[in-house]
Amino acid sequence: MLCGPAGMMDALSPMWTEAGIAHRLKTERFAAAPRVEVPAGAAPSKVKLALVRSGRTVTTERSETLLEQLERAGERPANGCRMGICNTCLCRKRTGVVENIVTGELSSEPDEDIRLCVSRARTDIELTL
Ligand code: FES
């Protein structure tokens, strides 16, 4: 069974072919979906992130993910993979519009769970942090 970084897998898998046992090699690859880039000017330059539990309001000027913005503001939200796979960063969004940077989908539903590591604010956001 071979699983790991793409470069390592690409370097090692020919060894099974060279040994004549390629049929015995099982591989598993993981990769994050490519990020969808928002054209300049499409994202707001400033958004407010209201954190319900802590009572803080964070104003951000960058179009980074919510996880990156919160960390920059000194918050420490739970996280793991930072690429939308593990759901460790799941957080309830009470209001606001977020963009999923993997799919490009916009979501404006109130009281929905979002992944901070793949969500970017498109409007002011209220989070239950
Ligand atoms: S940190 Fe894993 S999904 Fe966000």
Side-chain angles (χ1 to χ4, degrees):
M1 184 71 193
L2 180 60
C3 180
M8 180 193 81
M9 292 181 68
D10 292 343
L12 294 179
S13 58
M15 294 171 63
W16 275 261
T17 303
E18 291 165 12
I21 55 171
H23 62 284
R24 293 175 55 190
L25 176 62
K26 304 287 184 244
T27 62
E28 188 171 46
R29 291 179 183 262
F30 295 96
R35 285 183 170 200
V36 175
E37 293 301 324
V38 175
S45 58
K46 288 187 178 184
V47 292
K48 288 183 183 162
L49 309 178
L51 311 179
V52 173
R53 215 171 286 147
S54 69
R56 287 187 68 197
T57 299
V58 176
T59 301
T60 64
E61 296 187 24
R62 297 176 182 226
S63 57
E64 298 173 316
T65 66
L66 291 171
L67 179 59
E68 292 166 331
Q69 292 174 358
L70 289 167
E71 288 177 336
R72 190 178 309 284
E75 296 289 326
R76 293 289 171 256
N79 67 85
C81 67
R82 304 178 73 92
M83 62 174 102
I85 295 173
C86 72
N87 288 334
T88 303
C89 65
L90 213 57
C91 178
R92 176 62 53 99
K93 172 182 66 83
R94 283 198 174 161
T95 60
V97 178
V98 294
E99 172 193 9
N100 182 313
I101 63 169
V102 176
T103 64
E105 273 182 48
L106 297 178
S107 177
S108 59
E109 290 294 317
D111 294 315
E112 71 173 334
D113 291 330
I114 60 170
R115 290 168 294 169
L116 296 173
C117 69
V118 292
S119 296
R120 184 164 32 201
R122 298 297 297 263
T123 65
D124 293 347
I125 303 289
E126 189 177 42
L127 298 170
T128 59
L129 282 177

